[in-house]
Amino acid sequence: MKEIWNLFKPKLSPVRMSMLVSVWICCLFYLLFQGGKTSVMLFAMVTLFGLYLLFGGLNGIGRTRGERQFSGGLGDWGGVLHAGDQIRVRLRLEIPGFLPLPYVIVRETLKRHSGETWSFEESLVPSMNGRGELLFQTPPLERGRYAFSDTECLTEDIFGLIEHRGSFAARGEFRVLPRTVHIARWQLLDRRNRLLGPQSVGNVSGRETNQVGGVRDYVYGDRISRIHWNATARTGEWKSKEFEYESIPKTMIVLDAFEEHYRSARQFETAVSAAASLLEYGGREGIPMGLCSLGRSVEVFEPTQGRSRMHAMMDHLVDLDPKGGGSLLASLESARTRLPRGAVLVLVTPLAGGPIMDLVRFAQTQQMSFSHIQIAETSEREGDASRQWAASLRAKGVAAYRAGSLDDLPAALEGGTR
């Protein structure tokens, strides 16, 4: 019953309603006391006009239905977007009702998980059967999780006296991954690198090498090239070669997420992108990598191999925002029990100096190797000091890299200190 009343209740304001009633009463008195064809026609026109305004809810704008589709980088739900990408949004509307609509204004609001919003407003003229379609494109999107709010539709009667509103909800959530850059080679994880201490060698088996390390029983499905013919002839049973595995250390990417350590939001985004690029490199090369974000809360993802674990770490980076301030050493000590012994700690931070040396000593006491990637958004003079700091770390046997932007990262990792 309430829905029926909402459909037929007058949409006029009290002032306009009183004016309409007054005009209708005047026309009625004119008909009763004057008579004639003119009074009848005038009364009929005012009556029809009033009925049209009173029952404007029959235009169906309040019962609008819609469907939203994405195209471009996202495809049909399930594509991957990276920071800086744009998507095209196609919105199909269906407006029930039989009264004509001169136009419809559609308002869309896109919300980011951090609270930022973008508004889009377009107009369309629906067809005779109440259907319409809009196509618009978002601006370049930054890393984060996005969702469209309820879509608002507005229209007016053909005389422009009454505004009718309606809204509907259509599916519209997606995520934007951090920017990444392709890293062809990382000097630190070269198994011949002397900067990796002995505590970081041989703790995880990686890819097979061509070096035969032993003999094992034949397993159905082994290739002929794996069969050890001498051992097979000697024992009378099928034997296969056992190859040695390349030694790959576990690696923990430690990301500084304290807001007070960054000069700008752009610098923090560069740090997040650097961490995401390192994780992609580890997944591509079969290196077990984990993630530890140090911020208002400490989140640790242990280094393992697997697509599901990689997705979990990327999802964490999508939602990560810099918050508050604090000590990197205290935060890392609170996660000490979740850090694997003998791992390589790779710290991504804009800091240098004393706080970093504290972490170097912490890693040594925990029998871990340490590496520092400094995100340096500095002037030329500060850049010289940053390079001197990286050189001093390397002289102490600590791998140190400097990247002013994401594009500088591959060259720095391949060649050492930059």
Side-chain angles (χ1 to χ4, degrees):
M1 195 68 184
K2 183 178 180 180
E3 293 181 358
I4 297 177
W5 166 246
N6 289 335
L7 183 64
F8 288 98
K9 72 178 181 180
K11 303 295 191 302
L12 285 171
S13 63
V15 175
R16 292 183 176 180
M17 186 68 177
S18 60
M19 292 176 60
L20 177 61
V21 172
S22 300
V23 172
W24 186 84
I25 292 175
C26 291
C27 292
L28 178 61
F29 286 164
Y30 181 61
L31 172 67
L32 294 177
F33 294 104
Q34 179 66 28
K37 295 180 180 180
T38 303
S39 60
V40 172
M41 183 179 64
L42 183 61
F43 179 75
M45 291 174 59
V46 172
T47 301
L48 292 175
F49 176 70
L51 291 175
Y52 172 77
L53 295 180
L54 290 176
F55 298 109
L58 292 174
N59 59 30
I61 195 68
R63 293 169 286 135
T64 304
R65 299 185 296 271
E67 179 185 13
R68 185 183 291 109
Q69 291 183 339
F70 297 140
S71 59
L74 201 62
D76 293 331
W77 305 101
V80 176
L81 284 172
H82 287 85
D85 291 344
Q86 296 175 284
I87 61 171
R88 292 186 297 276
V89 182
R90 187 185 302 275
L91 187 66
R92 293 188 174 94
L93 302 178
E94 183 177 347
I95 306 172
F98 59 88
L99 292 180
L101 295 176
Y103 65 91
V104 176
I105 296 177
V106 182
R107 291 175 181 169
E108 290 266 57
T109 302
L110 179 62
K111 292 184 178 180
R112 189 169 178 247
H113 74 277
S114 59
E116 299 173 77
T117 59
W118 293 264
S119 296
F120 308 91
E121 183 173 306
E122 296 287 346
S123 62
L124 62 88
V125 178
S127 62
M128 293 299 296
N129 57 4
R131 298 179 184 273
E133 182 177 288
L134 281 179
L135 184 65
F136 61 92
Q137 182 168 283
T138 66
L141 300 173
E142 292 300 323
R143 170 190 61 89
R145 203 172 296 273
Y146 294 83
F148 278 97
S149 303
D150 289 354
T151 302
E152 185 179 5
C153 300
L154 297 87
T155 188
E156 293 180 341
D157 61 85
I158 58 177
F159 302 102
L161 296 177
I162 304 177
E163 183 182 80
H164 303 280
R165 293 174 177 264
S167 63
F168 65 90
R171 182 182 179 185
E173 304 88 15
F174 58 91
R175 62 175 187 158
V176 179
L177 300 179
R179 288 185 179 89
T180 57
V181 67
H182 179 76
I183 300 173
R185 177 176 171 269
W186 190 357
Q187 186 188 48
L188 175 69
L189 297 185
D190 192 323
R191 57 196 177 100
R192 295 165 295 181
N193 193 343
R194 62 180 178 83
L195 293 180
L196 287 182
Q199 69 272 14
S200 298
V201 177
N203 54 2
V204 175
S205 292
R207 296 163 292 189
E208 284 186 344
T209 65
N210 295 325
Q211 184 68 34
V212 178
V215 179
R216 61 170 173 81
D217 292 334
Y218 173 81
V219 177
Y220 178 78
D222 282 348
R223 299 189 303 271
I224 294 179
S225 59
R226 286 194 77 114
I227 296 176
H228 199 297
W229 295 107
N230 291 339
T232 299
R234 187 170 57 251
T235 61
E237 297 179 355
W238 289 101
K239 297 293 182 179
S240 295
K241 301 172 186 176
E242 186 76 64
F243 294 98
E244 291 182 354
Y245 283 83
E246 181 180 305
S247 181
I248 301 176
K250 290 183 177 180
T251 305
M252 287 293 298
I253 308 299
V254 182
L255 177 61
D256 180 0
F258 286 118
E259 186 176 13
E260 67 177 12
H261 295 166
Y262 292 90
R263 294 188 173 187
S264 63
R266 180 173 174 268
Q267 190 179 26
F268 178 73
E269 291 300 325
T270 302
V272 173
S273 296
S277 301
L278 297 177
L279 291 175
E280 280 192 354
Y281 171 81
R284 188 172 62 251
E285 296 295 325
I287 301 173
M289 280 194 179
L291 176 67
C292 177
S293 62
L294 305 179
R296 183 173 295 176
S297 61
V298 179
E299 298 289 340
V300 178
F301 299 85
E302 296 182 1
T304 56
Q305 292 175 297
R307 189 176 297 273
S308 61
R309 199 63 171 175
M310 175 66 72
H311 287 170
M313 290 188 287
M314 284 297 184
D315 279 342
H316 177 67
L317 291 180
V318 166
D319 297 327
L320 186 63
D321 288 321
K323 293 181 180 178
S327 168
L328 290 176
L329 179 60
S331 299
L332 197 58
E333 285 180 337
S334 67
R336 181 176 57 244
T337 58
R338 291 178 285 175
L339 300 177
R341 283 193 173 272
V344 179
L345 294 185
V346 181
L347 177 65
V348 181
T349 179
L351 297 183
I356 305 304
M357 293 308 301
D358 292 339
L359 294 178
V360 172
R361 288 188 286 269
F362 168 81
Q364 292 173 346
T365 59
Q366 299 299 316
Q367 298 181 354
M368 299 177 183
S369 295
F370 187 83
S371 174
H372 179 212
I373 298 179
Q374 185 183 14
I375 307 301
E377 194 178 75
T378 58
S379 62
E380 184 175 350
R381 176 182 296 181
E382 293 172 327
D384 292 338
S386 177
R387 279 186 283 270
Q388 292 175 5
W389 159 254
S392 66
L393 276 184
R394 197 167 182 84
K396 293 181 175 66
V398 178
Y401 309 94
R402 177 183 179 275
S405 65
L406 185 61
D407 295 332
D408 297 338
L409 186 63
L413 296 180
E414 291 176 18
T417 306
R418 298 292 179 188

Short mmCIF file of all heavy atoms in Angstrom, two decimals, residues 224-275:
data_model
loop_
_atom_site.label_atom_id
_atom_site.label_comp_id
_atom_site.label_asym_id
_atom_site.label_seq_id
_atom_site.Cartn_x
_atom_site.Cartn_y
_atom_site.Cartn_z
N ILE A 224 63.71 -40.63 -20.37
CA ILE A 224 64.81 -41.55 -20.66
C ILE A 224 66.15 -40.91 -20.32
O ILE A 224 67.08 -41.57 -19.85
CB ILE A 224 64.75 -41.99 -22.14
CG1 ILE A 224 63.49 -42.81 -22.39
CG2 ILE A 224 65.99 -42.81 -22.51
CD1 ILE A 224 63.33 -43.27 -23.83
N SER A 225 66.25 -39.60 -20.54
CA SER A 225 67.51 -38.91 -20.27
C SER A 225 67.86 -38.93 -18.79
O SER A 225 69.02 -38.70 -18.42
CB SER A 225 67.42 -37.46 -20.78
OG SER A 225 66.36 -36.77 -20.14
N ARG A 226 66.89 -39.17 -17.91
CA ARG A 226 67.15 -39.21 -16.47
C ARG A 226 67.63 -40.57 -16.00
O ARG A 226 68.10 -40.72 -14.86
CB ARG A 226 65.88 -38.85 -15.68
CG ARG A 226 65.52 -37.39 -15.69
CD ARG A 226 64.48 -37.10 -14.63
NE ARG A 226 65.07 -37.05 -13.31
CZ ARG A 226 65.13 -35.94 -12.55
NH1 ARG A 226 64.68 -34.80 -13.04
NH2 ARG A 226 65.65 -35.98 -11.35
N ILE A 227 67.48 -41.59 -16.80
CA ILE A 227 67.84 -42.94 -16.38
C ILE A 227 69.36 -43.04 -16.21
O ILE A 227 70.14 -42.62 -17.08
CB ILE A 227 67.34 -43.99 -17.39
CG1 ILE A 227 65.80 -43.96 -17.41
CG2 ILE A 227 67.84 -45.38 -17.01
CD1 ILE A 227 65.20 -44.88 -18.44
N HIS A 228 69.81 -43.58 -15.09
CA HIS A 228 71.23 -43.80 -14.82
C HIS A 228 71.59 -45.22 -15.27
O HIS A 228 71.34 -46.20 -14.55
CB HIS A 228 71.51 -43.62 -13.32
CG HIS A 228 72.95 -43.38 -13.00
ND1 HIS A 228 73.94 -44.30 -13.24
CD2 HIS A 228 73.57 -42.30 -12.45
CE1 HIS A 228 75.09 -43.83 -12.85
NE2 HIS A 228 74.89 -42.59 -12.35
N TRP A 229 72.14 -45.32 -16.48
CA TRP A 229 72.32 -46.64 -17.09
C TRP A 229 73.36 -47.46 -16.34
O TRP A 229 73.18 -48.68 -16.19
CB TRP A 229 72.74 -46.47 -18.56
CG TRP A 229 71.66 -45.83 -19.38
CD1 TRP A 229 71.65 -44.57 -19.87
CD2 TRP A 229 70.42 -46.42 -19.80
NE1 TRP A 229 70.48 -44.31 -20.57
CE2 TRP A 229 69.71 -45.44 -20.53
CE3 TRP A 229 69.83 -47.68 -19.60
CZ2 TRP A 229 68.46 -45.68 -21.09
CZ3 TRP A 229 68.58 -47.92 -20.16
CH2 TRP A 229 67.90 -46.92 -20.89
N ASN A 230 74.41 -46.84 -15.85
CA ASN A 230 75.43 -47.60 -15.13
C ASN A 230 74.85 -48.21 -13.85
O ASN A 230 75.08 -49.40 -13.54
CB ASN A 230 76.63 -46.72 -14.79
CG ASN A 230 77.41 -46.32 -16.02
OD1 ASN A 230 77.32 -46.99 -17.06
ND2 ASN A 230 78.18 -45.24 -15.93
N ALA A 231 74.11 -47.40 -13.09
CA ALA A 231 73.51 -47.92 -11.86
C ALA A 231 72.46 -48.98 -12.17
O ALA A 231 72.31 -49.96 -11.42
CB ALA A 231 72.90 -46.78 -11.06
N THR A 232 71.73 -48.80 -13.26
CA THR A 232 70.72 -49.79 -13.64
C THR A 232 71.37 -51.12 -14.00
O THR A 232 70.90 -52.20 -13.58
CB THR A 232 69.91 -49.26 -14.85
OG1 THR A 232 69.26 -48.05 -14.48
CG2 THR A 232 68.88 -50.28 -15.29
N ALA A 233 72.49 -51.08 -14.75
CA ALA A 233 73.18 -52.32 -15.12
C ALA A 233 73.82 -52.98 -13.91
O ALA A 233 73.86 -54.22 -13.80
CB ALA A 233 74.23 -52.01 -16.19
N ARG A 234 74.29 -52.17 -12.97
CA ARG A 234 74.98 -52.73 -11.81
C ARG A 234 74.02 -53.39 -10.83
O ARG A 234 74.34 -54.40 -10.23
CB ARG A 234 75.78 -51.61 -11.12
CG ARG A 234 76.69 -52.11 -10.00
CD ARG A 234 77.64 -51.01 -9.54
NE ARG A 234 76.95 -49.81 -9.09
CZ ARG A 234 76.96 -48.67 -9.77
NH1 ARG A 234 77.62 -48.59 -10.94
NH2 ARG A 234 76.34 -47.61 -9.30
N THR A 235 72.85 -52.82 -10.66
CA THR A 235 71.90 -53.34 -9.67
C THR A 235 70.84 -54.26 -10.26
O THR A 235 70.19 -55.00 -9.55
CB THR A 235 71.20 -52.18 -8.96
OG1 THR A 235 70.47 -51.41 -9.91
CG2 THR A 235 72.22 -51.29 -8.25
N GLY A 236 70.66 -54.17 -11.56
CA GLY A 236 69.61 -54.96 -12.18
C GLY A 236 68.23 -54.36 -12.03
O GLY A 236 67.23 -54.98 -12.42
N GLU A 237 68.11 -53.17 -11.48
CA GLU A 237 66.83 -52.47 -11.30
C GLU A 237 66.96 -51.08 -11.93
O GLU A 237 68.04 -50.50 -11.99
CB GLU A 237 66.47 -52.34 -9.82
CG GLU A 237 66.25 -53.68 -9.12
CD GLU A 237 65.92 -53.48 -7.65
OE1 GLU A 237 65.97 -52.31 -7.20
OE2 GLU A 237 65.64 -54.48 -6.97
N TRP A 238 65.81 -50.57 -12.36
CA TRP A 238 65.82 -49.26 -12.99
C TRP A 238 66.18 -48.18 -11.96
O TRP A 238 65.61 -48.12 -10.87
CB TRP A 238 64.46 -48.93 -13.60
CG TRP A 238 64.15 -49.74 -14.83
CD1 TRP A 238 63.35 -50.83 -14.92
CD2 TRP A 238 64.66 -49.51 -16.14
NE1 TRP A 238 63.30 -51.31 -16.19
CE2 TRP A 238 64.12 -50.50 -16.98
CE3 TRP A 238 65.52 -48.57 -16.70
CZ2 TRP A 238 64.39 -50.59 -18.34
CZ3 TRP A 238 65.81 -48.65 -18.05
CH2 TRP A 238 65.25 -49.65 -18.86
N LYS A 239 67.17 -47.33 -12.34
CA LYS A 239 67.60 -46.24 -11.47
C LYS A 239 67.58 -44.93 -12.26
O LYS A 239 67.80 -44.92 -13.48
CB LYS A 239 69.01 -46.48 -10.94
CG LYS A 239 69.16 -47.72 -10.06
CD LYS A 239 68.41 -47.57 -8.75
CE LYS A 239 68.61 -48.79 -7.86
NZ LYS A 239 67.91 -48.65 -6.56
N SER A 240 67.31 -43.84 -11.58
CA SER A 240 67.28 -42.51 -12.19
C SER A 240 68.29 -41.60 -11.52
O SER A 240 68.65 -41.79 -10.35
CB SER A 240 65.88 -41.90 -12.10
OG SER A 240 64.94 -42.64 -12.84
N LYS A 241 68.73 -40.61 -12.27
CA LYS A 241 69.67 -39.63 -11.74
C LYS A 241 68.94 -38.65 -10.80
O LYS A 241 67.81 -38.25 -11.06
CB LYS A 241 70.33 -38.84 -12.87
CG LYS A 241 71.08 -39.70 -13.88
CD LYS A 241 71.53 -38.86 -15.06
CE LYS A 241 72.16 -39.72 -16.15
NZ LYS A 241 72.52 -38.91 -17.35
N GLU A 242 69.62 -38.27 -9.76
CA GLU A 242 69.12 -37.25 -8.84
C GLU A 242 69.98 -36.01 -9.01
O GLU A 242 71.20 -36.05 -8.78
CB GLU A 242 69.20 -37.75 -7.40
CG GLU A 242 68.56 -36.82 -6.39
CD GLU A 242 67.04 -36.92 -6.40
OE1 GLU A 242 66.48 -37.96 -6.08
OE2 GLU A 242 66.43 -35.90 -6.79
N PHE A 243 69.37 -34.92 -9.47
CA PHE A 243 70.12 -33.70 -9.72
C PHE A 243 70.13 -32.81 -8.49
O PHE A 243 69.19 -32.81 -7.68
CB PHE A 243 69.52 -32.93 -10.90
CG PHE A 243 69.65 -33.66 -12.22
CD1 PHE A 243 68.60 -34.40 -12.73
CD2 PHE A 243 70.82 -33.61 -12.95
CE1 PHE A 243 68.71 -35.07 -13.94
CE2 PHE A 243 70.95 -34.26 -14.16
CZ PHE A 243 69.90 -34.99 -14.65
N GLU A 244 71.19 -32.04 -8.37
CA GLU A 244 71.27 -31.06 -7.29
C GLU A 244 70.34 -29.90 -7.58
O GLU A 244 70.04 -29.59 -8.74
CB GLU A 244 72.71 -30.55 -7.13
CG GLU A 244 73.68 -31.59 -6.60
CD GLU A 244 75.06 -31.01 -6.40
OE1 GLU A 244 75.26 -29.83 -6.80
OE2 GLU A 244 75.93 -31.72 -5.86
N TYR A 245 69.89 -29.26 -6.52
CA TYR A 245 69.00 -28.11 -6.65
C TYR A 245 69.76 -26.83 -6.38
O TYR A 245 70.66 -26.79 -5.52
CB TYR A 245 67.82 -28.23 -5.66
CG TYR A 245 66.77 -29.21 -6.10
CD1 TYR A 245 66.94 -30.58 -5.85
CD2 TYR A 245 65.63 -28.80 -6.76
CE1 TYR A 245 65.98 -31.50 -6.25
CE2 TYR A 245 64.67 -29.69 -7.17
CZ TYR A 245 64.85 -31.04 -6.92
OH TYR A 245 63.90 -31.94 -7.33
N GLU A 246 69.38 -25.82 -7.12
CA GLU A 246 69.98 -24.50 -6.91
C GLU A 246 69.52 -23.95 -5.56
O GLU A 246 68.35 -24.00 -5.21
CB GLU A 246 69.55 -23.57 -8.03
CG GLU A 246 70.13 -22.18 -7.94
CD GLU A 246 69.66 -21.32 -9.09
OE1 GLU A 246 69.85 -21.71 -10.24
OE2 GLU A 246 69.08 -20.25 -8.81
N SER A 247 70.46 -23.44 -4.81
CA SER A 247 70.15 -22.92 -3.48
C SER A 247 69.56 -21.51 -3.60
O SER A 247 70.19 -20.61 -4.15
CB SER A 247 71.42 -22.90 -2.63
OG SER A 247 71.14 -22.41 -1.35
N ILE A 248 68.36 -21.34 -3.09
CA ILE A 248 67.67 -20.05 -3.17
C ILE A 248 67.29 -19.62 -1.76
O ILE A 248 66.58 -20.34 -1.06
CB ILE A 248 66.41 -20.12 -4.04
CG1 ILE A 248 66.78 -20.58 -5.46
CG2 ILE A 248 65.70 -18.78 -4.08
CD1 ILE A 248 65.58 -20.76 -6.35
N PRO A 249 67.75 -18.48 -1.29
CA PRO A 249 67.40 -18.03 0.06
C PRO A 249 65.97 -17.51 0.13
O PRO A 249 65.45 -16.99 -0.85
CB PRO A 249 68.41 -16.91 0.32
CG PRO A 249 68.70 -16.37 -1.04
CD PRO A 249 68.63 -17.53 -1.99
N LYS A 250 65.37 -17.67 1.29
CA LYS A 250 64.08 -17.03 1.53
C LYS A 250 64.28 -15.53 1.64
O LYS A 250 65.27 -15.06 2.21
CB LYS A 250 63.45 -17.57 2.81
CG LYS A 250 62.97 -19.01 2.73
CD LYS A 250 62.29 -19.42 4.01
CE LYS A 250 61.75 -20.85 3.90
NZ LYS A 250 61.08 -21.29 5.15
N THR A 251 63.34 -14.79 1.10
CA THR A 251 63.48 -13.34 1.05
C THR A 251 62.23 -12.69 1.63
O THR A 251 61.11 -13.08 1.29
CB THR A 251 63.68 -12.85 -0.40
OG1 THR A 251 64.80 -13.53 -0.98
CG2 THR A 251 63.93 -11.36 -0.44
N MET A 252 62.43 -11.72 2.51
CA MET A 252 61.32 -10.96 3.10
C MET A 252 61.43 -9.51 2.64
O MET A 252 62.43 -8.84 2.89
CB MET A 252 61.37 -11.02 4.63
CG MET A 252 60.95 -12.35 5.23
SD MET A 252 59.21 -12.73 4.99
CE MET A 252 58.40 -11.40 5.86
N ILE A 253 60.40 -9.05 1.94
CA ILE A 253 60.31 -7.63 1.56
C ILE A 253 59.68 -6.88 2.72
O ILE A 253 58.53 -7.13 3.08
CB ILE A 253 59.47 -7.46 0.28
CG1 ILE A 253 59.98 -8.38 -0.84
CG2 ILE A 253 59.51 -6.00 -0.17
CD1 ILE A 253 61.40 -8.14 -1.25
N VAL A 254 60.44 -5.99 3.33
CA VAL A 254 59.97 -5.20 4.47
C VAL A 254 59.65 -3.80 3.97
O VAL A 254 60.55 -3.06 3.55
CB VAL A 254 61.02 -5.17 5.60
CG1 VAL A 254 60.48 -4.39 6.80
CG2 VAL A 254 61.40 -6.58 6.01
N LEU A 255 58.38 -3.43 4.02
CA LEU A 255 57.94 -2.14 3.48
C LEU A 255 57.61 -1.17 4.61
O LEU A 255 56.81 -1.48 5.50
CB LEU A 255 56.70 -2.35 2.61
CG LEU A 255 56.05 -1.10 2.02
CD1 LEU A 255 57.03 -0.35 1.12
CD2 LEU A 255 54.79 -1.46 1.25
N ASP A 256 58.25 -0.03 4.58
CA ASP A 256 57.98 1.04 5.55
C ASP A 256 56.66 1.71 5.18
O ASP A 256 56.52 2.31 4.11
CB ASP A 256 59.14 2.05 5.50
CG ASP A 256 58.95 3.20 6.48
OD1 ASP A 256 57.93 3.23 7.19
OD2 ASP A 256 59.84 4.08 6.53
N ALA A 257 55.67 1.64 6.08
CA ALA A 257 54.35 2.22 5.83
C ALA A 257 54.00 3.29 6.85
O ALA A 257 52.82 3.53 7.12
CB ALA A 257 53.28 1.12 5.83
N PHE A 258 55.02 3.94 7.42
CA PHE A 258 54.78 5.04 8.35
C PHE A 258 54.66 6.34 7.57
O PHE A 258 55.57 6.70 6.80
CB PHE A 258 55.90 5.14 9.38
CG PHE A 258 55.87 4.07 10.43
CD1 PHE A 258 56.91 3.18 10.55
CD2 PHE A 258 54.79 3.96 11.28
CE1 PHE A 258 56.89 2.19 11.52
CE2 PHE A 258 54.75 2.97 12.25
CZ PHE A 258 55.80 2.08 12.37
N GLU A 259 53.59 7.05 7.78
CA GLU A 259 53.31 8.25 7.01
C GLU A 259 54.35 9.34 7.22
O GLU A 259 54.72 10.06 6.28
CB GLU A 259 51.91 8.79 7.37
CG GLU A 259 51.45 9.96 6.53
CD GLU A 259 50.04 10.40 6.86
OE1 GLU A 259 49.51 9.96 7.90
OE2 GLU A 259 49.47 11.18 6.08
N GLU A 260 54.85 9.47 8.44
CA GLU A 260 55.79 10.56 8.73
C GLU A 260 57.15 10.37 8.06
O GLU A 260 57.94 11.31 8.00
CB GLU A 260 55.98 10.68 10.24
CG GLU A 260 56.68 9.50 10.88
CD GLU A 260 56.93 9.70 12.37
OE1 GLU A 260 56.37 10.65 12.95
OE2 GLU A 260 57.70 8.91 12.93
N HIS A 261 57.42 9.18 7.53
CA HIS A 261 58.71 8.93 6.88
C HIS A 261 58.72 9.35 5.41
O HIS A 261 59.78 9.36 4.79
CB HIS A 261 59.07 7.44 6.98
CG HIS A 261 59.29 6.98 8.38
ND1 HIS A 261 59.35 5.63 8.73
CD2 HIS A 261 59.46 7.68 9.54
CE1 HIS A 261 59.55 5.54 10.03
NE2 HIS A 261 59.60 6.75 10.55
N TYR A 262 57.57 9.71 4.88
CA TYR A 262 57.47 10.04 3.45
C TYR A 262 57.16 11.52 3.27
O TYR A 262 56.38 12.10 4.01
CB TYR A 262 56.38 9.19 2.78
CG TYR A 262 56.74 7.73 2.71
CD1 TYR A 262 56.39 6.86 3.73
CD2 TYR A 262 57.43 7.20 1.62
CE1 TYR A 262 56.72 5.51 3.70
CE2 TYR A 262 57.75 5.85 1.56
CZ TYR A 262 57.40 5.02 2.60
OH TYR A 262 57.74 3.68 2.54
N ARG A 263 57.77 12.09 2.26
CA ARG A 263 57.55 13.50 1.99
C ARG A 263 56.26 13.75 1.23
O ARG A 263 55.70 14.84 1.30
CB ARG A 263 58.73 14.05 1.17
CG ARG A 263 60.04 14.06 1.90
CD ARG A 263 61.10 14.79 1.10
NE ARG A 263 62.34 14.97 1.85
CZ ARG A 263 63.37 15.66 1.44
NH1 ARG A 263 63.31 16.28 0.25
NH2 ARG A 263 64.46 15.79 2.17
N SER A 264 55.83 12.78 0.45
CA SER A 264 54.63 12.98 -0.36
C SER A 264 53.97 11.63 -0.59
O SER A 264 54.57 10.57 -0.39
CB SER A 264 54.99 13.62 -1.71
OG SER A 264 55.84 12.76 -2.46
N ALA A 265 52.71 11.69 -1.03
CA ALA A 265 51.98 10.46 -1.37
C ALA A 265 52.63 9.77 -2.56
O ALA A 265 52.63 8.54 -2.66
CB ALA A 265 50.52 10.79 -1.67
N ARG A 266 53.19 10.55 -3.47
CA ARG A 266 53.85 9.98 -4.65
C ARG A 266 55.05 9.13 -4.25
O ARG A 266 55.30 8.06 -4.83
CB ARG A 266 54.28 11.10 -5.59
CG ARG A 266 54.99 10.64 -6.85
CD ARG A 266 55.23 11.82 -7.78
NE ARG A 266 56.04 11.43 -8.94
CZ ARG A 266 57.36 11.53 -8.97
NH1 ARG A 266 58.01 12.01 -7.91
NH2 ARG A 266 58.03 11.16 -10.03
N GLN A 267 55.79 9.57 -3.25
CA GLN A 267 56.95 8.80 -2.79
C GLN A 267 56.51 7.47 -2.18
O GLN A 267 57.15 6.44 -2.39
CB GLN A 267 57.74 9.62 -1.77
CG GLN A 267 59.09 9.00 -1.41
CD GLN A 267 59.86 9.85 -0.42
OE1 GLN A 267 59.28 10.61 0.36
NE2 GLN A 267 61.19 9.73 -0.43
N PHE A 268 55.41 7.48 -1.43
CA PHE A 268 54.91 6.23 -0.85
C PHE A 268 54.43 5.29 -1.95
O PHE A 268 54.67 4.07 -1.88
CB PHE A 268 53.77 6.52 0.13
CG PHE A 268 53.17 5.27 0.72
CD1 PHE A 268 53.86 4.53 1.67
CD2 PHE A 268 51.92 4.83 0.31
CE1 PHE A 268 53.32 3.38 2.20
CE2 PHE A 268 51.37 3.68 0.85
CZ PHE A 268 52.07 2.96 1.79
N GLU A 269 53.78 5.83 -2.97
CA GLU A 269 53.33 4.98 -4.07
C GLU A 269 54.52 4.34 -4.79
O GLU A 269 54.45 3.19 -5.22
CB GLU A 269 52.50 5.80 -5.06
CG GLU A 269 51.15 6.25 -4.53
CD GLU A 269 50.25 5.09 -4.14
OE1 GLU A 269 50.30 4.04 -4.81
OE2 GLU A 269 49.53 5.21 -3.13
N THR A 270 55.63 5.07 -4.89
CA THR A 270 56.83 4.50 -5.50
C THR A 270 57.36 3.34 -4.65
O THR A 270 57.79 2.31 -5.19
CB THR A 270 57.92 5.58 -5.64
OG1 THR A 270 57.40 6.65 -6.44
CG2 THR A 270 59.16 5.01 -6.31
N ALA A 271 57.32 3.50 -3.33
CA ALA A 271 57.77 2.42 -2.44
C ALA A 271 56.88 1.18 -2.58
O ALA A 271 57.39 0.05 -2.65
CB ALA A 271 57.78 2.92 -1.00
N VAL A 272 55.57 1.38 -2.63
CA VAL A 272 54.65 0.25 -2.79
C VAL A 272 54.88 -0.43 -4.14
O VAL A 272 54.89 -1.66 -4.24
CB VAL A 272 53.19 0.72 -2.65
CG1 VAL A 272 52.22 -0.41 -2.98
CG2 VAL A 272 52.93 1.22 -1.23
N SER A 273 55.07 0.36 -5.18
CA SER A 273 55.30 -0.21 -6.51
C SER A 273 56.61 -0.98 -6.55
O SER A 273 56.71 -2.02 -7.22
CB SER A 273 55.31 0.91 -7.56
OG SER A 273 54.05 1.55 -7.63
N ALA A 274 57.62 -0.48 -5.85
CA ALA A 274 58.89 -1.20 -5.80
C ALA A 274 58.72 -2.56 -5.12
O ALA A 274 59.23 -3.58 -5.59
CB ALA A 274 59.94 -0.37 -5.06
N ALA A 275 57.99 -2.58 -4.00
CA ALA A 275 57.74 -3.85 -3.32
C ALA A 275 56.95 -4.81 -4.21
O ALA A 275 57.25 -6.01 -4.27
CB ALA A 275 56.98 -3.59 -2.01
#
